[in-house]
């Protein structure tokens, strides 16, 4: 969800106002994805690297996350949304950690959209955590190194149990991944949009889905092997 800061500057507002506008867009997009029967939506709200932003912005974002959770969790629950958080929780404010745990517990048996919020998340962190927990299991004698394969690693990655993303959308004009879901996006289709996140409304999501519907997904096979026209 890139572009909140530039959106704020364009509107003569401070960066936090841009993030507040970003939360409004997130709400709209979540609602839309729920109605479209999309199975999982993962939003990158705060990266491991974002901790290095000015303290005022970091603190403002943390407050915004607490407020947004407090305000939205009931409506999300009423709409059957299951919330899940990925990232390094222990550095987040205690109040936020508590809200996150409460929201996950409240919505855990819902069967609609799974909404994953990546908070203090980094793809490198995720892989390191997975490796660490596998190493601990080896040390405890539960596993031997020969048992380590892609399936096992995947079971220790933060999105374990959820399908790999079909589509990755990056807003705000940058053409890079910025340490998001590195393990899981091996075969994701990638859609780059110049639109700044606060302006990325339902029309923009529809355009991204339209792009996705035209992609031929081969997962390393040839067109012939997947039964499509071509070689
Ligand atoms: C990037 O814009 C956005 C962030 C660092 C994260 C904040 C995202 C939100 C507040 C929206 C959704 C929140 C929730 C709780 C779902 P930027 O600051 O990098 O923008 P810039 O590149 O234009 O400076």
């Amino acid at each position: 969800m890139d572009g909140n800061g530039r959106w704020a500057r364009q509107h003569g507002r401070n960066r936090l106002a841009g993030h507040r506008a970003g939360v409004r867009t997130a709400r709209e997009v979540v609602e839309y994805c729920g109605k479209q029967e999309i199975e999982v939506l993962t939003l990158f709200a705060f990266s491991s690297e974002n901790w290095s932003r000015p303290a005022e912005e970091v603190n403002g974002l943390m407050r915004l996350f607490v407020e947004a959770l407090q305000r939205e969790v009931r409506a999300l629950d009423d709409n059957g949304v299951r919330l899940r958080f990925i990232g390094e929780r222990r550095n987040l404010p205690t109040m936020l950690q508590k809200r996150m745990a409460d929201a996950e517990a409240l919505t855990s048996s819902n069967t609609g959209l799974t909404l994953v919020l990546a908070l203090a998340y980094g793809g490198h962190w995720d892989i390191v955590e997975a490796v660490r927990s596998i190493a601990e299991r080896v040390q405890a004698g539960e596993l031997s190194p020969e048992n380590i394969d892609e399936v096992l690693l995947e079971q220790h990655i933060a999105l374990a149990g959820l399908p790999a993303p079909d589509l990755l959308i990056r807003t705000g004009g940058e053409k890079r991944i910025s340490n998001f879901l590195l393990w899981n996006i091996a075969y994701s289709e990638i859609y780059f949009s110049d639109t700044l996140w606060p302006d990325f409304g339902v029309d923009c999501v529809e355009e991204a889905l339209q792009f996705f519907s035209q992609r031929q997904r081969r997962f390393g096979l040839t067109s012939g092997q997947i039964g499509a026209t071509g070689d």
Side-chain angles (χ1 to χ4, degrees):
M1 299 182 284
D2 197 13
N4 296 348
R6 279 163 286 161
W7 183 93
R9 191 158 3 102
Q10 281 176 8
H11 290 76
R13 317 267 296 275
N14 64 27
R15 295 182 59 84
L16 218 54
H19 294 314
R20 272 195 291 274
V23 174
R24 288 196 288 276
T25 300
R27 188 182 204 284
E28 212 179 294
V29 170
V30 168
E31 204 176 309
Y32 175 79
C33 290
K35 286 197 189 124
Q36 295 305 306
E37 298 185 11
I38 285 170
E39 206 179 321
V40 185
L41 173 69
T42 302
L43 296 176
F44 200 3
F46 191 84
S47 74
S48 316
E49 291 73 29
N50 287 153
W51 286 118
S52 306
R53 290 193 174 195
E56 193 192 352
E57 181 170 350
V58 171
N59 295 337
L61 276 167
M62 295 300 144
R63 276 197 303 274
L64 201 61
F65 297 144
V66 171
E67 284 164 22
L69 276 182
Q70 176 165 336
R71 203 174 50 235
E72 306 292 349
V73 164
R74 186 162 303 179
L76 290 169
D77 185 43
D78 289 345
N79 285 287
V81 174
R82 181 167 63 127
L83 258 169
R84 181 162 155 182
F85 295 90
I86 56 172
E88 174 64 284
R89 295 183 192 214
R90 64 171 169 231
N91 298 327
L92 294 169
T94 317
M95 173 57 89
L96 179 54
Q97 289 185 46
K98 180 169 171 11
R99 290 266 151 82
M100 289 159 62
D102 290 349
E104 282 180 325
L106 179 73
T107 63
S108 63
S109 54
N110 289 345
T111 56
L113 173 73
T114 295
L115 173 61
V116 182
L117 293 180
L119 274 184
Y121 176 86
H124 286 169
W125 166 85
D126 194 353
I127 294 168
V128 169
E129 284 301 300
V131 170
R132 194 198 318 278
S133 56
I134 290 172
E136 282 167 2
R137 292 183 63 193
V138 171
Q139 194 175 39
E142 277 175 49
L143 289 173
S144 70
E146 299 77 64
N147 301 129
I148 301 173
D149 59 11
E150 291 181 21
V151 174
L152 185 86
L153 203 111
E154 185 150 327
Q155 288 165 352
H156 291 78
I157 288 282
L159 279 189
L162 295 175
D166 291 311
L167 173 65
L168 168 65
I169 300 174
R170 170 141 196 173
T171 64
E174 306 294 358
K175 305 223 170 11
R176 55 175 173 256
I177 303 301
S178 298
N179 204 11
F180 190 47
L181 300 180
L182 296 181
W183 175 269
N184 312 79
I185 60 165
Y187 281 99
S188 302
E189 301 293 333
I190 305 186
Y191 181 79
F192 293 106
S193 167
D194 288 335
T195 304
L196 304 176
W197 174 254
D199 292 328
F200 199 80
V202 165
D203 290 356
C204 297
V205 181
E206 280 176 347
E207 243 171 75
L209 293 176
Q210 181 63 23
F211 156 86
F212 177 74
S213 71
Q214 286 161 3
R215 304 302 305 155
Q216 182 194 68
R217 310 196 69 202
R218 291 195 294 274
F219 301 96
L221 304 181
T222 67
S223 307
Q225 283 177 298
I226 58 167
T229 50
D231 52 331

